[in-house]
Amino acid sequence: MKSKGFIFTPLSTFLLICVALTTPPTLAEFNFEIGNRVTEKLASYTTAPIRLLSLLSTYRSKKAFSHDLRAPDRDEFLVLGDALLTTYPHDLVYYGLEDGTFVGHQMDSRMSVYREPGEGGYEVVVENGGGGAGSEELASAVSPEMQKHLESCVDNHGKMIPCLMHPGQSYIECIDGCKAIQKCPDENSQRECRQLFDDNEDERNSCEEEVKWCISYREQIILPENDGAIAVNNAKIVNTSENNYHSQRGYIPWTQHCIDSSGLPTQTPGQNSVPGPDNLHNCYHSDGSNPVQRNLSGPYAYCGIDSDDDGTATPIICNTTFIGGFVSYNYDPRYRPWYTKTKEMQEPNWSEPYVFFQNDQMGISYSHPIYKTDEDDGRKVFVGVLALDLTLTGIASFLIKNYDEAENIVAIIEEAEPNYLIASSTGTTGVKKVLKDDHSIPCPEMENFALASEICTTVRIPVAELKNGFMERVISNSYMIQKKNGFPPSRLLPVQSKDDTDDVEVAQGVHASQTKQFTSVGGINWRIMIMSPVDIHEEDSILPGDDMFPFLVTPAIIGSVVCMALLLLFTKHRGEQEVIASDWRFTGAFIFGCALLNLACLSLIGPNTDSLCLSRMWFLNFFFVLALTPLFVKTWRFYKLLGDGTVIPRRQSISHAKTTLMMIPFILFEVLILTIFTFVDPSRAEEMLEYDDVGVTHRIVCTHENSAFFAVQVVYQGSLILVGCVLAFKTRNMKKEYRDNQQLMLTLYNIALVGTVILIVANVVKVYQGTIRIFLSVGVFWMTVFSC
């Protein structure tokens, strides 16, 4: 028989041990400075083009360009562009017009680009020569005024070649000579203002002011050769093979020029703003050895138009149009993505990332539509697009410069599916060059850019498919986890990444990932993803060899051994009067349950995995109820048979068999609870991050999705203990021969108090689960051994 002092003194000691060992981690807000800094940089990076093009558009609207940006204004724009890009560094500022004119200034490589106005796709007669180079020299345009364009192309070595198109290339075909106009395709222009605002003249006039008008033309694509003929727009150009000639299509070249320090085209030795291969400021063709000497003469639009005394317009003949032009390409702005999107939207916008024609790099373009007012009817006519390019390498350079050697990884991805990579601090580009015919085959190395552009293309790789190296795996895995969780803006998510080494996956650590959305005027919608390495805390699990391992195993083993020894001793003396009076069968069942409960604590050994978390949920709760139930029904039978001890006991009997049957519903109800939650909300391993003033730590804990299981068990198991304590308290005044009920009361009080302490430590005090498991093992030892 135990005294109250014997119970409360150990309990007080146990409570002091709990308080002494409790060292909760301090939580603090995570530092989001990286995301804010990248956001500020992107905002600055994307705001400058908007302001710059708005300035250019305003400058043009004030009639600062004498020819309204048509071809004769080329040099004036190039000088202005040089000044603007020197002040506000970006890659390329340019414009394209509805007549096909293109003028641009590229800052990084210090060159200008220019295309004469006009439509490509003009018919060319070529002498058949078996495809040899000699046949190209005999090409002539059917239309005499296009001959000057046909003869204005050069190859990488500076050799004059005819500007001939190939299957798959596009050209613009005018409708009604590109004189007819129609409403532009944007929503505002397509409205029927008279029908919408028939009764309100002011609103109708306001509606009509927003209507824009566009020139009518269509893009045509040259189809592959078929039966010895060239198919254009599904119509064959007849092969005149009997005359040893065939027809092809010609284009107006897009030419890159050397420029001087002010941005003007030049081929004068020593004036090129970029040193050549000989370290002299001379202009060379793309091969780097042949100097540029181009003085084509003709009535080019760049030269302007003279007006005779009688008012007749006469083109000026000049030889400066192709000065410094070192390479030629087939390019028409009117079917490029940046142009077509702006024409369709009729508002400033950012393009989706695409491959830049001039350098085969990925980038984005900010485009701004420009208009003129028709002098006859006052209509607002769309005439072209001002644009400015940003290469994605420019954004990547900022990330690499600031975060390449840092522990943090920063990546920027597109918000839209399939979430392509914009840039990253690891240098990962998210693009690859492949053959046009088979994207699974990498593009071979080629010195000839023109040839490479014909057979190869650049494709983007979704972030989820980045697998080349450990850093790419971190980015890819972080993206997948963020996407799965809906990109929570203020929540850190753990990411475990692995690397393949000799076909063996070796864990490389854990990162905490977070995202921050970035948007900009004009349609940019990106997501900044930051991945920071974290400290791995393993204090939530106890493994063999850990310092805390003996503190978990020793109480469990000693407790089970002591309980089993007491059970054997109790069974051996079951014929003695004191043992018989204590209902040795139920006391023995309680002691046996205590032994199993101590053994169940051994399931707390090992890592936190889904299977182990679930087994712990079952073992600890089931064996606790299994041990508690005999104690509860024994207390209940005492109360039913003897009352509270203040009156004469009622004459009735409750057999051992009936009492045993009463145990079954309580045990089955616990099994039912465990079964339901096994399917509804099982205990499973979950990764979590905690952050404090020192840094971020990674933990793997056993937990439920919500607190429903905890609440149900507290109510059910707590009710058994509470009712048992009440019944034991009511029977405390029994006669001496029935004093076994006092031991029942002290046992139930012991279980209640120790259980309360464990609940407080586990759910109120912030400690690691490994510490909680030691408390639990010691607590089970305490409540079982000192209760037996």
Side-chain angles (χ1 to χ4, degrees), residues 267-327:
Q267 60 191 28
T268 302
Q271 290 189 2
N272 187 16
S273 59
V274 179
D278 52 6
N279 209 32
L280 299 175
H281 289 263
N282 298 332
C283 184
Y284 292 93
H285 287 282
S286 297
D287 60 2
S289 58
N290 291 315
V292 177
Q293 297 177 348
R294 303 196 64 192
N295 296 285
L296 295 181
S297 180
Y300 293 101
Y302 162 72
C303 304
I305 296 176
D306 269 342
S307 295
D308 297 338
D309 294 337
D310 59 0
T312 303
T314 304
I316 299 174
I317 303 296
C318 69
N319 63 351
T320 56
T321 305
F322 293 94
I323 289 293
F326 58 87
V327 69

Coordinates of all heavy atoms in Angstrom, one line a residue, residues 267-327:
Q267 N 32.1 53.0 -92.4 CA 33.0 52.0 -92.8 C 34.4 52.7 -93.0 O 35.3 52.0 -93.5 CB 32.6 51.3 -94.1 CG 32.4 52.3 -95.3 CD 31.7 51.6 -96.5 OE1 30.9 50.7 -96.3 NE2 32.0 52.0 -97.7
T268 N 34.5 53.9 -92.6 CA 35.8 54.6 -92.7 C 36.8 54.0 -91.7 O 36.5 53.8 -90.5 CB 35.7 56.1 -92.3 OG1 34.7 56.7 -93.2 CG2 37.0 56.8 -92.5
P269 N 38.0 53.6 -92.1 CA 39.0 52.9 -91.2 C 39.3 53.8 -90.0 O 39.4 55.0 -90.2 CB 40.2 52.8 -92.1 CG 39.7 52.7 -93.5 CD 38.5 53.6 -93.5
G270 N 39.3 53.2 -88.9 CA 39.6 53.9 -87.6 C 38.4 54.5 -86.9 O 38.5 55.1 -85.8
Q271 N 37.2 54.5 -87.6 CA 36.1 55.2 -87.0 C 35.1 54.2 -86.3 O 34.2 54.7 -85.6 CB 35.3 56.0 -88.0 CG 36.1 57.3 -88.5 CD 35.2 58.2 -89.3 OE1 34.1 57.9 -89.5 NE2 35.9 59.3 -89.8
N272 N 35.2 52.9 -86.6 CA 34.3 52.0 -86.0 C 34.4 52.0 -84.5 O 35.5 52.0 -83.9 CB 34.6 50.6 -86.5 CG 33.5 49.6 -86.1 OD1 32.4 49.9 -85.6 ND2 33.8 48.3 -86.2
S273 N 33.3 52.1 -83.8 CA 33.3 52.3 -82.3 C 33.7 51.0 -81.6 O 33.9 51.0 -80.4 CB 31.9 52.7 -81.8 OG 30.9 51.8 -82.1
V274 N 33.8 49.9 -82.3 CA 34.2 48.6 -81.7 C 35.5 48.1 -82.4 O 35.5 48.0 -83.6 CB 33.1 47.5 -81.9 CG1 33.5 46.2 -81.3 CG2 31.8 47.9 -81.3
P275 N 36.5 47.9 -81.6 CA 37.8 47.4 -82.2 C 37.6 46.1 -82.9 O 36.9 45.2 -82.3 CB 38.7 47.3 -81.0 CG 38.1 48.1 -79.9 CD 36.6 48.1 -80.1
G276 N 38.1 45.9 -84.0 CA 38.0 44.6 -84.8 C 39.1 43.6 -84.3 O 39.7 43.8 -83.3
P277 N 39.2 42.5 -85.0 CA 40.1 41.4 -84.6 C 41.6 41.9 -84.6 O 42.4 41.3 -83.9 CB 39.9 40.3 -85.7 CG 39.3 41.0 -86.8 CD 38.5 42.1 -86.2
D278 N 41.9 42.9 -85.4 CA 43.3 43.4 -85.4 C 43.5 44.6 -84.3 O 44.5 45.3 -84.3 CB 43.6 44.0 -86.8 CG 42.6 44.9 -87.3 OD1 41.7 45.3 -86.5 OD2 42.7 45.3 -88.5
N279 N 42.4 44.7 -83.5 CA 42.4 45.7 -82.4 C 42.4 47.2 -83.0 O 42.7 48.1 -82.2 CB 43.6 45.6 -81.5 CG 43.3 46.1 -80.1 OD1 42.2 46.0 -79.6 ND2 44.3 46.6 -79.4
L280 N 42.1 47.3 -84.3 CA 41.9 48.6 -84.9 C 40.4 48.9 -85.0 O 39.6 47.9 -85.1 CB 42.6 48.7 -86.2 CG 44.1 48.4 -86.3 CD1 44.6 48.4 -87.7 CD2 44.8 49.5 -85.4
H281 N 40.1 50.1 -85.0 CA 38.7 50.5 -85.1 C 38.2 50.5 -86.6 O 37.8 51.5 -87.1 CB 38.4 51.8 -84.5 CG 38.5 51.7 -83.0 ND1 37.4 51.6 -82.1 CD2 39.6 51.8 -82.1 CE1 37.8 51.6 -80.9 NE2 39.2 51.7 -80.9
N282 N 38.4 49.4 -87.3 CA 38.0 49.2 -88.7 C 36.7 48.3 -88.7 O 36.5 47.5 -87.8 CB 39.1 48.6 -89.5 CG 40.4 49.5 -89.5 OD1 40.3 50.7 -89.4 ND2 41.5 48.9 -89.7
C283 N 36.0 48.5 -89.8 CA 34.7 47.8 -90.0 C 35.0 46.5 -90.9 O 35.5 46.7 -92.0 CB 33.7 48.6 -90.6 SG 32.1 47.9 -90.8
Y284 N 34.7 45.3 -90.4 CA 34.9 44.1 -91.1 C 33.6 43.4 -91.2 O 32.7 43.5 -90.4 CB 35.9 43.2 -90.3 CG 37.3 43.7 -90.3 CD1 37.8 44.5 -89.3 CD2 38.2 43.5 -91.4 CE1 39.1 45.0 -89.2 CE2 39.5 44.0 -91.3 CZ 39.9 44.8 -90.3 OH 41.2 45.3 -90.2
H285 N 33.6 42.5 -92.2 CA 32.4 41.6 -92.4 C 32.5 40.5 -91.3 O 33.5 40.5 -90.5 CB 32.4 41.0 -93.8 CG 32.0 41.9 -94.9 ND1 30.7 42.3 -95.1 CD2 32.8 42.6 -95.8 CE1 30.7 43.1 -96.1 NE2 31.9 43.4 -96.5
S286 N 31.5 39.7 -91.2 CA 31.4 38.7 -90.1 C 32.5 37.8 -90.0 O 32.8 37.2 -89.0 CB 30.1 37.9 -90.3 OG 28.9 38.8 -90.2
D287 N 33.3 37.6 -91.1 CA 34.4 36.7 -91.1 C 35.6 37.3 -90.3 O 36.6 36.6 -90.0 CB 34.8 36.2 -92.5 CG 35.3 37.4 -93.3 OD1 35.3 38.5 -92.8 OD2 35.6 37.2 -94.5
G288 N 35.5 38.6 -90.0 CA 36.6 39.3 -89.3 C 37.8 39.6 -90.1 O 38.8 40.0 -89.5
S289 N 37.8 39.3 -91.4 CA 39.1 39.6 -92.2 C 38.8 40.5 -93.4 O 39.8 41.3 -93.7 CB 39.6 38.3 -92.7 OG 38.7 37.6 -93.5
N290 N 37.7 40.5 -93.9 CA 37.4 41.3 -95.1 C 36.8 42.7 -94.7 O 35.8 42.7 -94.0 CB 36.4 40.6 -96.1 CG 37.1 39.4 -96.7 OD1 38.2 39.5 -97.2 ND2 36.3 38.3 -96.8
P291 N 37.5 43.8 -95.0 CA 36.9 45.1 -94.6 C 35.7 45.4 -95.4 O 35.5 45.0 -96.5 CB 38.1 46.1 -95.0 CG 38.9 45.4 -96.0 CD 38.8 43.9 -95.7
V292 N 34.8 46.2 -94.8 CA 33.5 46.6 -95.4 C 33.8 47.8 -96.3 O 34.3 48.8 -95.9 CB 32.5 46.9 -94.3 CG1 31.2 47.4 -95.0 CG2 32.2 45.7 -93.4
Q293 N 33.4 47.6 -97.6 CA 33.5 48.7 -98.6 C 32.2 48.6 -99.4 O 32.2 48.0 -100.5 CB 34.7 48.5 -99.5 CG 36.0 48.6 -98.7 CD 37.3 48.4 -99.5 OE1 37.1 48.0 -100.7 NE2 38.4 48.7 -99.0
R294 N 31.2 49.2 -98.9 CA 29.9 49.1 -99.6 C 29.4 50.5 -100.0 O 29.2 51.4 -99.1 CB 28.8 48.4 -98.7 CG 29.3 47.0 -98.2 CD 28.1 46.3 -97.7 NE 27.1 46.0 -98.7 CZ 25.9 45.6 -98.5 NH1 25.5 45.3 -97.3 NH2 25.0 45.4 -99.5
N295 N 29.2 50.7 -101.3 CA 28.7 52.0 -101.8 C 27.7 51.8 -102.9 O 27.8 52.3 -104.0 CB 29.9 52.8 -102.3 CG 30.9 53.2 -101.3 OD1 30.7 54.1 -100.4 ND2 32.1 52.5 -101.2
L296 N 26.7 51.0 -102.5 CA 25.6 50.7 -103.5 C 24.9 52.0 -103.8 O 24.5 52.8 -102.9 CB 24.6 49.7 -103.0 CG 25.2 48.3 -102.8 CD1 24.1 47.4 -102.2 CD2 25.8 47.7 -104.0
S297 N 24.7 52.2 -105.1 CA 24.0 53.5 -105.5 C 22.6 53.1 -106.0 O 22.4 52.1 -106.7 CB 24.8 54.1 -106.7 OG 24.1 55.3 -107.1
G298 N 21.6 54.0 -105.7 CA 20.3 53.8 -106.2 C 19.3 54.7 -105.5 O 19.6 55.4 -104.6
P299 N 18.0 54.7 -106.0 CA 17.0 55.5 -105.4 C 16.4 54.9 -104.2 O 15.2 54.6 -104.1 CB 16.0 55.6 -106.6 CG 16.1 54.3 -107.3 CD 17.6 53.9 -107.1
Y300 N 17.2 54.8 -103.1 CA 16.7 54.2 -101.9 C 15.8 55.2 -101.1 O 16.1 56.4 -101.1 CB 17.9 53.7 -101.0 CG 18.6 52.5 -101.7 CD1 19.8 52.7 -102.3 CD2 18.1 51.2 -101.6 CE1 20.5 51.7 -102.9 CE2 18.8 50.2 -102.2 CZ 19.9 50.4 -102.9 OH 20.6 49.3 -103.5
A301 N 14.9 54.6 -100.3 CA 14.0 55.5 -99.5 C 14.8 56.3 -98.5 O 14.4 57.4 -98.1 CB 12.9 54.6 -98.8
Y302 N 15.9 55.7 -98.0 CA 16.7 56.4 -97.0 C 17.2 57.7 -97.6 O 17.4 58.7 -96.9 CB 17.9 55.5 -96.7 CG 19.1 56.3 -96.0 CD1 19.0 56.7 -94.7 CD2 20.2 56.5 -96.7 CE1 20.0 57.4 -94.1 CE2 21.3 57.2 -96.2 CZ 21.2 57.6 -94.9 OH 22.2 58.3 -94.3
C303 N 17.4 57.8 -98.9 CA 18.0 59.0 -99.5 C 17.0 60.1 -99.6 O 17.3 61.3 -99.7 CB 18.4 58.7 -101.0 SG 19.6 57.3 -101.1
G304 N 15.7 59.8 -99.5 CA 14.7 60.8 -99.5 C 14.1 61.0 -100.9 O 14.3 60.3 -101.8
I305 N 13.3 62.1 -101.0 CA 12.5 62.4 -102.3 C 12.7 63.9 -102.5 O 12.5 64.7 -101.6 CB 11.1 62.0 -102.2 CG1 11.0 60.4 -102.0 CG2 10.3 62.4 -103.4 CD1 9.5 60.0 -101.9
D306 N 13.0 64.2 -103.8 CA 13.0 65.6 -104.2 C 11.7 65.9 -104.8 O 11.0 65.1 -105.5 CB 14.1 65.8 -105.2 CG 15.4 66.2 -104.6 OD1 15.3 66.7 -103.4 OD2 16.5 66.1 -105.2
S307 N 11.2 67.1 -104.7 CA 10.0 67.6 -105.3 C 10.5 68.6 -106.4 O 11.1 69.6 -106.2 CB 9.1 68.3 -104.3 OG 8.6 67.4 -103.4
D308 N 10.1 68.3 -107.7 CA 10.4 69.2 -108.8 C 9.5 70.4 -108.8 O 8.5 70.5 -108.0 CB 10.2 68.4 -110.2 CG 11.2 67.2 -110.2 OD1 12.2 67.3 -109.5 OD2 10.9 66.3 -111.0
D309 N 9.8 71.3 -109.7 CA 9.0 72.6 -109.7 C 7.6 72.3 -110.1 O 6.7 73.0 -109.6 CB 9.6 73.5 -110.8 CG 11.0 74.0 -110.4 OD1 11.3 73.9 -109.1 OD2 11.8 74.4 -111.2
D310 N 7.3 71.3 -110.8 CA 5.9 70.9 -111.2 C 5.2 70.1 -110.2 O 4.1 69.6 -110.4 CB 5.9 70.2 -112.6 CG 6.7 68.9 -112.6 OD1 7.3 68.6 -111.5 OD2 6.7 68.3 -113.6
G311 N 5.9 69.8 -109.0 CA 5.3 69.0 -108.0 C 5.5 67.5 -108.1 O 5.0 66.8 -107.3
T312 N 6.3 67.1 -109.1 CA 6.5 65.7 -109.3 C 7.5 65.2 -108.2 O 8.6 65.8 -108.0 CB 7.0 65.4 -110.7 OG1 6.1 65.9 -111.6 CG2 7.3 63.9 -110.9
A313 N 7.2 64.1 -107.6 CA 8.2 63.5 -106.6 C 9.2 62.6 -107.3 O 8.8 61.7 -108.0 CB 7.4 62.7 -105.5
T314 N 10.4 62.9 -107.1 CA 11.5 62.1 -107.7 C 12.4 61.6 -106.6 O 13.0 62.3 -105.8 CB 12.4 63.0 -108.6 OG1 11.5 63.7 -109.6 CG2 13.4 62.2 -109.3
P315 N 12.6 60.2 -106.6 CA 13.5 59.6 -105.6 C 14.9 60.2 -105.8 O 15.4 60.3 -106.9 CB 13.4 58.1 -105.9 CG 12.1 58.0 -106.6 CD 12.0 59.2 -107.4
I316 N 15.6 60.3 -104.7 CA 17.0 60.8 -104.8 C 17.9 59.6 -104.9 O 17.7 58.5 -104.3 CB 17.4 61.6 -103.5 CG1 16.5 62.8 -103.3 CG2 18.9 61.9 -103.4 CD1 16.7 63.5 -102.0
I317 N 18.9 59.7 -105.8 CA 19.9 58.7 -105.9 C 21.1 58.9 -105.0 O 21.6 60.0 -104.9 CB 20.5 58.7 -107.4 CG1 19.3 58.5 -108.4 CG2 21.5 57.6 -107.6 CD1 18.6 57.2 -108.3
C318 N 21.5 57.9 -104.2 CA 22.6 58.1 -103.2 C 23.3 56.8 -103.1 O 22.8 55.7 -103.5 CB 22.1 58.6 -101.9 SG 21.2 57.5 -100.9
N319 N 24.5 56.8 -102.5 CA 25.3 55.6 -102.3 C 25.7 55.4 -100.8 O 26.6 54.7 -100.5 CB 26.5 55.6 -103.2 CG 27.5 56.7 -102.8 OD1 27.1 57.6 -102.0 ND2 28.7 56.7 -103.3
T320 N 24.9 56.0 -99.9 CA 25.2 55.9 -98.5 C 24.3 55.0 -97.7 O 24.4 54.8 -96.5 CB 25.2 57.3 -97.9 OG1 23.9 57.9 -98.1 CG2 26.3 58.1 -98.5
T321 N 23.3 54.4 -98.4 CA 22.3 53.6 -97.7 C 22.9 52.4 -96.9 O 22.6 52.1 -95.8 CB 21.3 53.0 -98.6 OG1 20.7 54.1 -99.3 CG2 20.2 52.3 -97.9
F322 N 23.9 51.7 -97.5 CA 24.5 50.5 -97.0 C 25.9 50.7 -96.5 O 26.7 49.7 -96.3 CB 24.5 49.4 -98.0 CG 23.1 48.9 -98.3 CD1 22.4 49.5 -99.4 CD2 22.4 48.0 -97.5 CE1 21.1 49.1 -99.7 CE2 21.1 47.6 -97.8 CZ 20.4 48.1 -98.9
I323 N 26.3 52.0 -96.2 CA 27.6 52.2 -95.6 C 27.8 51.5 -94.3 O 26.9 51.5 -93.4 CB 27.8 53.8 -95.4 CG1 27.9 54.5 -96.7 CG2 29.0 54.0 -94.5 CD1 29.2 54.2 -97.4
G324 N 28.9 50.7 -94.2 CA 29.1 50.0 -93.0 C 28.3 48.7 -92.8 O 28.4 48.1 -91.7
G325 N 27.5 48.4 -93.8 CA 26.6 47.2 -93.7 C 27.5 45.9 -93.8 O 27.9 45.6 -94.9
F326 N 27.6 45.2 -92.8 CA 28.6 44.0 -92.8 C 27.9 42.7 -93.0 O 28.6 41.7 -93.2 CB 29.5 44.0 -91.6 CG 28.8 43.9 -90.3 CD1 28.5 42.7 -89.7 CD2 28.5 45.1 -89.6 CE1 27.9 42.7 -88.5 CE2 27.9 45.1 -88.4 CZ 27.6 43.8 -87.8
V327 N 26.6 42.6 -92.8 CA 25.9 41.3 -93.0 C 24.4 41.6 -93.2 O 23.9 42.6 -92.8 CB 26.1 40.4 -91.7 CG1 25.3 40.9 -90.5 CG2 25.6 38.9 -92.0

